[in-house]
Amino acid sequence: MHGERFGRMGFILASAGSAIGLGNIWKFPYMTGENGGGAFVVIYLLTITFIGLSLFLAEVVMGRLSRSDAVSAFEVLAPSHANLWKYSGFMIFTGMLILAFYTIVIGWIFKYIYISTFALPSSVKEAGASFGGMVTTETIPQIFFFTLAFALTFWIVSKGVKKGIEKVNVILMPLLIIILLVLFAYAMSLDGFSKAVTFLFSPDFSKVQSTSILAAVGHAFFTLSLGMGTIMAYAASMPKHENIVKASFMVAFLDTAVALTAGIVIFTFIFHFGAEPSQGPGLVFISLPPLFYQLGLMGNIISVLFFTALAFAGITSAVSIVEPTVMYMTNRFKMSRKKALITLGSIVYVFGILALMSNIETLKGYATFFGKGFFDILDFTSSSILLPLGGMVIAIFVGFVIDRTRLYGLLKPFMNDMLFKLWYFSIKYITPIGVFIVMVNKLFF
Ligand code: TRP
């Protein structure tokens, strides 16, 4: 069983810290840009409400009822066939895959904080060449920044739930919000602001394709850190009397608010300088820096703030990807926290180096398997297969295996019957079916 508990607000802060990550500031804006703006935002908000929130609550319920890691949770809570259900615990391995590429991206962000201070590129062309050059040719610098991000993440987790994870979140999350608000205030003074707001909030449904809907569902999932036992692990450390329904709403709300704020800030710059909103994953690394450049010294300051916020968001999320696996290893194998971290860390580090090499032109050959680079393999296997699969298993388990009266007993003090029925219906039918459709489509079409 799990010992250490969060303090007041610890769960909300840490879960918000987990949810708010690269997904909100890097991925959400470029996805919105690619999918035509407002209509995508509407679909995203609907999926967060109807699928994301239900699943979030389901993970919290599993953590709270079992007070244990993702493998034991299934064992403890299954009335029969516990030995079979424990295999659902595969999800704790998903973390190793995500972590390897996630820390590489945090490494890139570290480098961009450094670039922002004096070496912003002056044109999009130059920015593209410099970003592409970093990813495909700079082995040693990338390893350096990756190692930095990696070491920082593991060091924080090694300090424990309260002294490490909670403390970092208590400091970094408010700082992240302050930086975003400063950037938002500055954006308000620019001409692009109203265009950005129109772009994000006046939906034009003629621009929506079926792929946008799939992308929105998949992202709702990723952005709330669902499908691999992260929220479950944090909920296991929740203090006894915390209002779990309110906490879940809070986290989903904060996560959405940050994504929308980041979106407005980024698109204000894009429209202010007449740049293209639909340019894919390079949006913050390639299109923003040359725009900041045009603002002179002010641009350097804004750029440092922006990438620092991104780094903070990334680190608190990376930490949350480590914790469920460490919790499992210490529970199961009675390992010390240190030993668990060293074991897990070694695997992640090797994966990370391989993933990094797979993007380097001259080293590709050593890290390509089945014709695909290791970086892409990690991203694809985790985001398109393991996370949705984990989410589906959780929804089915909570919807059909755990006794309804048990769920009702836990949730009744915090929600009325109507809301409970709505949630129960969603977790039984809407969530698993929705996730299934997305997964099949991503895999086969
Ligand atoms: N939610 C984070 C983001 O938006 C990423 C993340 C952290 C995550 N922990 C996770 C994703 C667990 C899936 C599962 O960047």
Side-chain angles (χ1 to χ4, degrees), residues 18-19 21-24 102 222-223 225-226 228 230 317 320-321 387:
S18 167
L22 305 180
N24 304 58
Y102 208 83
F222 186 82
T223 192
S225 302
L226 300 170
M228 56 157 280
T230 285
S317 299
S320 80
I321 308 178
L387 287 180

Side-chain angles (χ1 to χ4, degrees), residues 56-85:
F56 191 95
L57 196 53
E59 279 207 32
V60 172
V61 164
M62 283 188 70
R64 233 351 226 90
L65 285 177
S66 71
R67 287 272 182 217
S68 202
D69 63 86
V71 181
S72 316
F74 283 100
E75 267 177 329
V76 176
L77 299 175
S80 56
H81 306 296
N83 259 329
L84 212 63
W85 273 112

Side-chain angles (χ1 to χ4, degrees), residues 403-433:
D403 203 17
R404 188 180 185 275
T405 44
R406 219 170 153 195
L407 300 171
Y408 186 70
L410 178 69
L411 294 172
K412 194 177 63 135
F414 310 119
M415 66 205 307
N416 61 32
D417 285 5
M418 179 69 195
L419 202 59
F420 179 79
K421 278 190 188 136
L422 205 67
W423 170 74
Y424 197 60
F425 181 78
S426 167
I427 208 65
K428 258 183 129 107
Y429 306 107
I430 302 181
T431 307
I433 294 171

Side-chain angles (χ1 to χ4, degrees), residues 86-163:
K86 79 169 181 222
Y87 291 103
S88 313
F90 73 84
M91 58 188 73
I92 55 147
F93 296 109
T94 312
M96 297 186 196
L97 311 189
I98 301 187
L99 203 58
F101 71 84
Y102 208 83
T103 23
I104 293 177
V105 180
I106 298 177
W108 293 344
I109 297 166
F110 283 168
K111 186 178 169 197
Y112 270 71
I113 297 178
Y114 169 71
I115 291 181
S116 301
T117 54
F118 62 93
L120 284 172
S122 59
S123 68
V124 171
K125 204 166 157 220
E126 196 189 313
S130 119
F131 179 71
M134 170 182 78
V135 176
T136 58
T137 63
E138 296 179 4
T139 316
I140 302 296
Q142 273 197 95
I143 291 185
F144 173 77
F145 286 111
F146 160 69
T147 306
L148 207 64
F150 169 87
L152 196 61
T153 303
F154 276 76
W155 178 71
I156 293 167
V157 182
S158 78
K159 299 275 168 199
V161 168
K162 218 169 146 53
K163 286 213 191 85

